[in-house]
Amino acid sequence: MTTQQPPRLEMRRVVKTFGPVVALDSVDLVVARNEVHGLLGGNGAGKTTLMNVLYGLYRPNSGEVLLDGEPVTVGSPRDAIDAGVGMVHQTFLQVDNYTVTENIVLGTDVSGALRLDLDEARKRIRELSTRFGLSVDPDAVVEDLPVGVRQRVEILKALYRGARLLILDEPTTNLTPQEVDDLFGSMRAMVDDGMSVVLITHKIRETLGVCDRMTVMRDGRSVETIERSDTDADHLADVMVGGTTGPGELIDAAALGAVDAEEVEVTVSSVRDAVGVSVQGLVVNNDQGHELVPGFDLEIREGEIVGIAGVAGNGQVELAEALAGVRAVRAGSVEVGGRSMCGRPASAWLDHGVAYVPEDRHRDGILPTASITENLVLGSQRSPGVRRHGLLDWGAAKQRAVEAIEQFSIRANGPATPAGDLSGGNIQRVILARAFARRPRMLILHNPTRGLDLGSTRFVYDQVRVATDAGCAILLLSEDLDEVIAMSDRVIALFKGSRAGEWQKGTVDAYEVGRSMTGLGEARV
Amino acid sequence: MSETISPAPSAAPPDAEPSNRVVEALWLLVPYVVSVVLAFVVGGLIILALGQDPVAAFESVLTTSFNTRFGTVETLHKWVPILLCAYAFAIPLATGKFNIGSEGQLLVGATGGVALGILWSDLPMVILLPCVLVAGALAGALWAGIAAFLMVKFNVNEILSTVVLNFISFQVIDYVASQVWPDRGAGHPATTPVGDGALLPGIGDTPPFHSGVLLTLVLVVVIAVFMRRTATGFEMRAVGANLRAAQVHGIKTSRLAGAGLVVGGAVAGLAGSIEVAGVHGKMLEGMQSNFLILGIIVGLMARGSMLALPVVAFGIAVLEVGAGSMQRTAQVPVEMVLIIEALILLFLLLSDIVRTKLRGR
Amino acid sequence: MGEITEFLTLMIPAMVPFLLAAQGTVLSGRAGVFNVSQEGLMVLGAAIGFLVSFKVGSNTVGLFAAFAAAALFGLVLAYMTTQLRLDQFVVGLALYFAALGAAGLLYREVIGVTMAPPLIPTLDDYPIPLLSEIPFLGEVLFDHDLVVYAAFLISAGIYWFMYKTRSGLAFRSIGENPKAADSLGINVTWARTWSTVVGSGLVGVAGAYLPMVYTGLYTEGMVAGRGWLVIALAFLGGWRPHLVVAGAAFFAGMEVLALRAQVAGIGIPHQFVLMLPYVATLLVMVFAFRWARQPAFLGRNYDRESRLVG
């Protein structure tokens, strides 16, 4: 580290609140020149919030920001861009029906105020993409591009604007291990070129793999800044979870990416002999009518967790919704508990004990304006249990809601609280409470812990174990490879809606799964 | 940003519930009062600017309904179609659909009612009157059903289809009133009167109010129970609250949204036949008055509460009855009342923001 | 004059209210603000345009006054949706009612109840030199009042702005993904505000044109649902200015057809003929909602600090 030159970025005592919630509690951060700086922490630690403040998306309550030693006021993304800050968000901020070039030049002084001319821009994009190893076709429409390429577009957007400090927010979430290696290569090229990079991540292995230094955040505070050479995985895990990682929480830690999942000993298995779910030749279309799942076979035994690993967009949503009875099946059969379910309405699946915890819990999981009570009734409003004299019995429903709030430790003012006012973790608890109230035979979990804080993540894992002990067949679809490997009795790699590989617990190799997820692996079915 | 930090629930011990309820009720009621007062203040300033006396104007707006029995009866007679058109708007809105077609549904409902009332004019009341009312509801349902069909089958935006159907209905009733059963002597497109058996009996002394008012009261209870306590009502609200979540939880969303429109149309159609059977005794051009707009205003002001609708509708009926006498006595144009109503609505919307700020988000 | 020439010559001015109002709708729509107060703004524009022209004696002043009045309503809509983030449909409906009330109030205050309603002069035709002398085309296209030319020029201008300029590229991105636009330093609030103000103004002018082109009279029902048809037209044109021109020709054609069929008396009751434009609209919408694209964020408010969006 050079001591004469001021650091690239210095943030001092930044405070940000959302209503009563203190998201950032006087956070300090120093990023040097020419370094990859890891911003490490569990979900909810405040990493993204801090960077959104730096990028002008959130207005801090107080605190200072210095770039290259100069104090700056970042009131909007425009200010951040002008100050040389670029940010790649977790969800890509792209105009789907624009081309790569159009997305990149958007908002810049591209030549031709009165007559748009993109030739110059195209040339520059080509040049940048060669220099940093980020290959894209400048004329492709972004909605047609795979996730990995769309991410390169996001990075090019920042580079095109001459960013000196690039923030990457959980950039590896949807990438295969191979793509992650490429990305890390590009990051090094940027640092060699004189830039600084901030890598937001909750995965210890990643920070150790690419970062020069790292700052660990927890509960809206920066806990410690550490040199790469002074630390190792165990130490980081300790700092990250607050030094409470006992041996019993090893699987959780693995699922969080703190330790390598392959090394975790198999604990007690609850897998029974009886077949819980049997799927044959399942063909499912997506919303546009394209065949995204071309024929899928699957057997899940009672008490077994089958994990599906795959890059988003390879048919996970379609598969999950088809197996939940929500999406129409083109062909094939699904048997749950020995009963054939295909062709029955979604309500029949629910009644038969198929529970679905959807990926997007706000969009698909709750009625935001309705009370917790009403949300817990949702889906069973026609079953006899909630009715009296043919009418809905809200008194009894409220009573059950009070019990669920207690049992699932939902933090709310009471059963009348609108579900939309709850935090993500509490919303997920409501959804789980609803799912478990029906004693499911089959449980489909899609990205069940995405965006949850540590406590809620653990709660979800605990509930999953309770369910398997009761003999529930579980299908876990997750973009978090560590989570899939740590939780599942069997891992299936999904590529273009088909099985591209299968591993029993204890025989999984993350790189091998990654290759299969991108269609490069040898199928071991 | 993933919403990960649990909001610290503001400390409200469960045993504090009764006083909580009073507070909640106040948070609910105060915005209405403030919005009405503010709207009248702004309206009064406009009236001053027009060079008239706002106090006299508002006095006649607010008291006409209660000063004479005639005013009260007129208010009740206005309350019925305004409330029914408000239901026609609010029921589909519960599923997230905007029905801007209640006047078309009302007119076609009136057409259905008047057709039976004229064709079967000799039948006794016990048979004819129910037939007329049911025919009105069915015709309204059918008319809204066109929009529902286009929406469910072809994804046609219901706002546009219901509005466009209004303009078609104007021609339909013009045709019926000037070609099919014209009353040449009326000097205005109108049908011949319906048979005596098709008329809703009056209640009370001169002037009596028609029994459609009681029918409407029954309907208020039925609709409230339907929306709150039946599975279908719950499902409709679920669709409105979050279409995708409803779908994922086994609710047939597009069918329910279509059904909401049809039910709304039936209620508006019933309003049409009640107008025929209770007020006019025939169908005439312009009988839709401005019930469409008033129904939407009431529906929006009630903010999804089926119980608030009748109360708000009564308030609007009072304003509407008062508007005419305001124009006569204070020389302030009737349109002033529409402006005040729009202002109440806007202030009510704004009150949400103030309330959120006051409660500290 | 041949039947076709005459039909087309009538159709061009009939397109003007549809064109102006639909382009206004498209303008704010592409930035994500779905204005549903068109019908009210057109009625208000017609009343203000008529009254100001009548009092001042100049149709031009009347047109500008109508623009200003409707633009003011647009400003309220923009403020309430971009700053206060109130529901666009509900605010739009409230403004529709307020505009209707204001129009009626003003007419009654200024004119009162009279046996002989006042008249304003209709707009003069300005044949374009040389061009208007081209046989057939000259008569159809280049022999109209100035507002006709202006409406087409405005359409072309909006198209050019949206698709041929740097700011247009940025502008359109707001209706598709405002968060993306915002993250690149594009001012979402400003774009939504000015486009809603200007767009609403155009809707007002569209209304003001009605009393000035045919009769010189203002009547209460003269807008006759055009404000709603215009929204259908925006959907039909896929929220693209050049396709809106084609759609406006269709709507205007239907209107002229219905009028001429009524005058000619073709044996079916005139009520059914007058239904024609509306029935055609219903049928056309069946196709419009199947193929036409709409801005992905149309009708939705953007809140930078919302923790749930994206």
Side-chain angles (χ1 to χ4, degrees):
Chain A
M1 289 312 109
T2 45
T3 42
Q4 307 93 325
Q5 278 184 311
R8 168 78 11 107
L9 166 73
E10 204 176 341
M11 297 180 88
R12 291 181 189 157
R13 296 182 302 282
V14 176
V15 176
K16 172 69 188 168
T17 58
F18 292 94
V21 182
V22 181
L24 295 177
D25 189 0
S26 192
V27 177
D28 294 313
L29 176 70
V30 179
V31 178
R33 289 162 188 260
N34 304 358
E35 76 164 348
V36 177
H37 192 104
L39 197 50
L40 185 68
N43 275 307
K47 302 163 297 192
T48 305
T49 311
L50 182 67
M51 289 300 105
N52 278 341
V53 166
L54 174 60
Y55 197 62
L57 283 170
Y58 293 161
R59 216 170 263 277
N61 303 52
S62 62
E64 275 181 278
V65 179
L66 287 86
L67 281 164
D68 293 318
E70 296 289 315
V72 288
T73 318
V74 187
S76 72
R78 166 109 280 166
D79 296 343
I81 293 166
D82 292 345
V85 178
M87 181 162 177
V88 175
H89 299 263
Q90 208 170 354
T91 40
F92 302 146
L93 296 176
Q94 292 168 354
V95 181
D96 286 350
N97 56 343
Y98 279 19
T99 65
V100 169
T101 307
E102 285 173 335
N103 265 293
I104 291 175
V105 302
L106 202 55
T108 64
D109 299 336
V110 64
S111 56
L114 298 183
R115 179 117 198 112
L116 196 60
D117 182 7
L118 296 175
D119 286 341
E120 194 90 357
R122 237 177 243 119
K123 227 187 284 167
R124 228 181 99 240
I125 293 165
R126 287 221 173 81
E127 188 256 313
L128 284 170
S129 71
T130 349
R131 177 140 62 114
F132 296 106
L134 300 159
S135 68
V136 291
D137 169 11
D139 294 315
V141 176
V142 295
E143 65 190 344
D144 301 334
L145 297 175
V147 187
V149 182
R150 289 186 74 152
Q151 183 171 68
R152 282 176 224 151
V153 175
E154 285 295 280
I155 297 174
L156 283 169
K157 249 158 78 173
L159 296 177
Y160 185 88
R161 285 163 176 73
R164 288 171 295 148
L165 173 68
L166 180 68
I167 309 158
L168 297 164
D169 188 358
E170 301 277 2
T172 61
T173 309
N174 281 314
L175 302 188
T176 65
Q178 292 77 13
E179 283 176 314
V180 170
D181 289 346
D182 291 347
L183 173 70
F184 287 176
S186 297
M187 281 160 65
R188 284 258 73 99
M190 289 175 218
V191 171
D192 293 344
D193 209 65
M195 291 172 59
S196 302
V197 176
V198 174
L199 172 72
I200 302 178
T201 181
H202 66 278
K203 304 215 160 178
I204 290 167
R205 225 173 334 125
E206 279 177 6
T207 42
L208 290 174
V210 69
C211 297
D212 302 306
R213 285 199 307 163
M214 50 220 81
T215 296
V216 180
M217 288 188 72
R218 199 174 64 223
D219 298 332
R221 294 192 187 88
S222 43
V223 184
E224 201 175 339
T225 298
I226 316 165
E227 295 278 340
R228 165 69 184 93
S229 47
D230 298 345
T231 187
D232 57 25
D234 289 340
H235 174 227
L236 281 180
D238 262 3
V239 180
M240 194 172 145
V241 294
T244 55
T245 325
E249 283 156 341
L250 209 55
I251 293 182
D252 295 338
L256 291 167
V259 293
D260 277 348
E262 295 100 277
E263 292 160 13
V264 176
E265 292 285 319
V266 183
T267 49
V268 198
S269 170
S270 54
V271 182
R272 302 176 185 179
D273 289 334
V275 172
V277 179
S278 160
V279 179
Q280 263 159 19
L282 191 72
V283 181
V284 193
N285 284 1
N286 69 357
D287 292 337
Q288 284 74 40
H290 301 299
E291 194 177 281
L292 243 70
V293 178
F296 199 82
D297 300 323
L298 176 71
E299 227 168 57
I300 311 178
R301 288 192 282 163
E302 290 180 3
E304 186 184 24
I305 304 174
V306 173
I308 303 269
V311 177
N314 273 289
Q316 288 97 326
V317 174
E318 289 71 18
L319 186 64
E321 291 189 353
L323 292 178
V326 175
R327 182 176 287 268
V329 167
R330 281 255 331 276
S333 71
V334 180
E335 274 184 27
V336 179
R339 189 192 293 182
S340 169
M341 298 304 297
C342 276
R344 292 172 194 254
S347 50
W349 293 64
L350 276 169
D351 292 343
H352 189 55
V354 177
Y356 175 38
V357 176
E359 166 183 40
D360 189 332
R361 56 188 82 98
H362 284 104
R363 194 191 62 183
D364 297 349
I366 54 156
L367 308 174
T369 50
S371 66
I372 294 178
T373 308
E374 288 175 305
N375 269 285
L376 290 173
V377 168
L378 180 63
S380 47
Q381 66 274 7
R382 292 195 182 270
S383 42
V386 300
R387 303 222 261 182
R388 219 174 53 187
H389 312 307
L391 294 176
L392 293 171
D393 185 356
W394 288 114
K398 187 181 162 193
Q399 203 47 52
R400 278 195 301 276
V402 171
E403 287 160 21
I405 287 172
E406 173 76 32
Q407 192 191 340
F408 286 78
S409 340
I410 300 166
R411 281 174 76 185
N413 281 338
T417 310
D421 289 359
L422 303 176
S423 71
N426 284 309
I427 286 174
Q428 195 71 324
R429 287 165 198 253
V430 171
I431 292 170
L432 287 173
R434 180 170 60 209
F436 284 115
R438 269 170 277 212
R439 311 196 160 275
R441 295 164 198 273
M442 176 192 188
L443 183 59
I444 300 155
L445 301 160
H446 195 178
N447 287 331
T449 63
R450 186 158 74 182
L452 298 192
D453 57 64
L454 270 169
S456 295
T457 301
R458 285 206 180 119
F459 184 82
V460 171
Y461 295 154
D462 290 344
Q463 290 301 320
V464 168
R465 286 184 199 110
V466 171
T468 49
D469 287 344
C472 178
I474 293 189
L475 185 70
L476 168 70
L477 305 98
S478 176
E479 280 151 26
D480 189 335
L481 197 50
D482 294 308
E483 175 174 281
V484 172
I485 293 173
M487 292 298 297
S488 310
D489 297 302
R490 239 183 327 141
V491 174
I492 294 173
L494 194 69
F495 175 66
K496 290 193 172 165
S498 295
R499 174 190 317 239
E502 182 169 332
W503 298 264
Q504 288 292 332
K505 190 171 194 106
T507 67
V508 197
D509 172 66
Y511 271 80
E512 213 179 303
V513 178
R515 275 193 294 279
S516 301
M517 279 157 58
T518 43
L520 300 171
E522 295 164 48
R524 277 210 315 198
V525 182
Chain B
M1 172 73 205
S2 38
E3 56 331 288
T4 47
I5 301 123
S6 328
S10 46
D15 51 320
E17 232 173 57
S19 74
N20 244 2
R21 253 186 214 162
V22 176
V23 174
E24 285 304 315
L26 280 179
W27 279 114
L28 212 62
L29 278 179
V30 168
Y32 279 93
V33 177
V34 173
S35 303
V36 170
V37 170
L38 275 180
F40 272 92
V41 168
V42 175
L45 291 176
I46 298 176
I47 293 174
L48 267 182
L50 295 176
Q52 310 292 349
D53 177 10
V55 177
F58 291 152
E59 195 186 334
S60 63
V61 166
L62 293 174
T63 57
T64 311
S65 297
F66 310 105
N67 278 347
T68 62
R69 176 162 173 92
F70 185 82
T72 311
V73 169
E74 204 191 334
T75 307
L76 287 175
H77 283 184
K78 283 241 177 200
W79 175 71
V80 170
I82 291 173
L83 176 59
L84 296 182
C85 284
Y87 279 128
F89 177 75
I91 294 173
L93 188 62
T95 73
K97 297 294 170 191
F98 284 81
N99 176 15
I100 315 290
S102 63
E103 66 181 356
Q105 292 140 18
L106 181 145
L107 288 174
V108 173
T111 310
V114 91
L116 290 194
I118 292 173
L119 289 173
W120 298 348
S121 57
D122 294 338
L123 288 180
M125 190 178 85
V126 275
I127 302 171
L128 184 55
L129 182 57
C131 284
V132 166
L133 295 177
V134 169
L138 285 179
L142 194 76
W143 200 244
I146 299 174
F149 172 78
L150 291 174
M151 180 178 81
V152 173
K153 280 280 166 212
F154 300 105
N155 201 23
V156 170
N157 182 312
E158 81 288 350
I159 302 180
L160 295 175
S161 55
T162 51
V163 160
V164 166
L165 282 165
N166 289 341
F167 292 94
I168 298 177
S169 76
F170 297 159
Q171 302 302 330
V172 170
I173 67 146
D174 187 36
Y175 176 71
V176 172
S178 57
Q179 312 270 340
V180 184
W181 298 294
D183 178 2
R184 307 272 178 221
H188 177 84
T191 64
T192 50
V194 293
D196 287 343
L199 296 178
L200 280 162
I203 296 173
D205 296 333
T206 41
F209 60 89
H210 64 68
S211 40
V213 176
L214 296 184
L215 192 64
T216 305
L217 274 176
V218 174
L219 208 61
V220 166
V221 177
V222 170
I223 290 176
V225 170
F226 171 75
M227 292 305 285
R228 179 84 196 134
R229 298 291 301 275
T230 67
T232 310
F234 176 71
E235 288 174 350
M236 279 184 166
R237 288 188 289 130
V239 173
N242 185 348
L243 185 117
R244 293 233 7 159
Q247 212 162 21
V248 165
H249 292 88
I251 295 171
K252 295 194 171 74
T253 53
S254 86
R255 224 166 65 180
L256 265 179
L261 268 185
V262 171
V263 172
V267 177
L270 180 66
S273 50
I274 289 180
E275 286 290 286
V276 167
V279 178
H280 304 294
K282 58 185 175 180
M283 183 176 77
L284 68 163
E285 211 171 79
M287 65 181 282
Q288 77 274 19
S289 182
N290 55 350
F291 297 142
L292 165 72
I293 288 174
L294 298 177
I296 296 174
I297 289 179
V298 171
L300 290 175
M301 282 182 185
R303 346 194 74 183
S305 158
M306 292 292 154
L307 289 174
L309 276 175
V311 182
V312 177
F314 186 78
I316 295 294
V318 168
L319 293 186
E320 285 298 308
V321 170
S325 78
M326 171 187 74
Q327 179 162 305
R328 281 190 304 275
T329 59
Q331 284 79 47
V332 176
V334 284
E335 283 83 2
M336 195 63 233
V337 167
L338 181 57
I339 293 179
I340 289 179
E341 286 158 353
L343 285 174
I344 297 177
L345 184 55
L346 283 174
F347 286 133
L348 207 49
L349 293 172
L350 289 173
S351 74
D352 273 357
I353 294 165
V354 179
R355 180 166 48 176
T356 318
K357 285 244 164 81
L358 285 180
R359 302 194 90 171
R361 284 221 256 204
Chain C
M1 211 196 273
E3 186 68 26
I4 292 174
T5 322
E6 198 182 338
F7 178 84
L8 292 175
T9 313
L10 284 171
M11 189 187 84
I12 295 288
M15 280 173 73
V16 168
F18 289 109
L19 258 189
L20 286 172
Q23 301 294 18
T25 308
V26 167
L27 190 64
S28 61
R30 287 310 286 259
V33 179
F34 190 5
N35 189 351
V36 291
S37 63
Q38 271 82 352
E39 179 79 3
L41 294 185
M42 280 184 83
V43 173
L44 183 71
I48 299 240
F50 175 83
L51 293 172
V52 171
S53 303
F54 177 68
K55 285 285 174 195
V56 179
S58 155
N59 285 353
T60 316
V61 178
L63 287 166
F64 277 104
F67 182 93
L72 191 68
F73 273 72
L75 185 64
V76 175
L77 175 65
Y79 181 78
M80 291 191 125
T81 56
T82 62
Q83 304 286 343
L84 306 179
R85 302 193 184 88
L86 294 171
D87 188 277
Q88 295 188 6
F89 292 91
V90 178
V91 176
L93 286 173
L95 290 178
Y96 161 42
F97 307 142
L100 279 188
L105 184 78
L106 285 171
Y107 188 83
R108 232 181 265 258
E109 273 299 306
V110 176
I111 307 294
V113 183
T114 52
M115 289 311 285
L119 277 173
I120 56 169
T122 54
L123 295 164
D124 295 325
D125 284 349
Y126 285 89
I128 295 176
L130 295 176
L131 286 178
S132 59
E133 279 152 46
I134 307 169
F136 180 68
L137 276 185
E139 198 175 332
V140 170
L141 295 177
F142 302 113
D143 187 5
H144 295 289
D145 59 72
L146 290 178
V147 181
V148 171
Y149 308 133
F152 281 91
L153 284 177
I154 287 170
S155 301
I158 291 178
Y159 174 79
W160 170 80
F161 161 71
M162 279 189 188
Y163 288 95
K164 300 293 175 193
T165 71
R166 173 170 87 200
S167 4
L169 186 72
F171 180 80
R172 283 184 290 131
S173 76
I174 295 168
E176 300 293 337
N177 188 342
K179 188 157 192 178
D182 189 25
S183 76
L184 296 176
I186 295 163
N187 193 332
V188 175
T189 305
W190 165 240
R192 286 191 161 195
T193 304
W194 77 254
S195 64
T196 307
V197 169
V198 174
S200 302
L202 288 177
V203 178
V205 175
Y209 186 70
L210 291 170
M212 297 182 188
V213 65
Y214 298 121
T215 56
L217 272 173
Y218 172 83
T219 53
E220 212 163 275
M222 75 185 312
V223 175
R226 284 188 187 85
W228 294 106
L229 297 187
V230 153
I231 300 178
L233 173 53
F235 276 104
L236 178 65
W239 299 83
R240 278 169 290 190
H242 51 299
L243 295 181
V244 160
V245 177
F250 171 79
F251 278 81
M254 280 296 153
E255 196 179 291
V256 173
L257 195 68
L259 272 168
R260 292 182 65 76
Q262 189 188 7
V263 173
I266 45 170
I268 48 173
H270 70 271
Q271 288 94 348
F272 291 98
V273 175
L274 288 176
M275 274 181 208
L276 191 67
Y278 305 106
V279 175
T281 305
L282 275 187
L283 293 178
V284 153
M285 281 196 297
V286 170
F287 299 101
F289 284 92
R290 290 217 134 172
W291 67 267
R293 241 196 82 86
Q294 48 181 335
F297 226 75
L298 181 67
R300 290 162 64 191
N301 290 332
Y302 171 65
D303 180 357
R304 180 187 282 170
E305 298 214 0
S306 160
R307 313 180 88 201
L308 301 183
V309 176

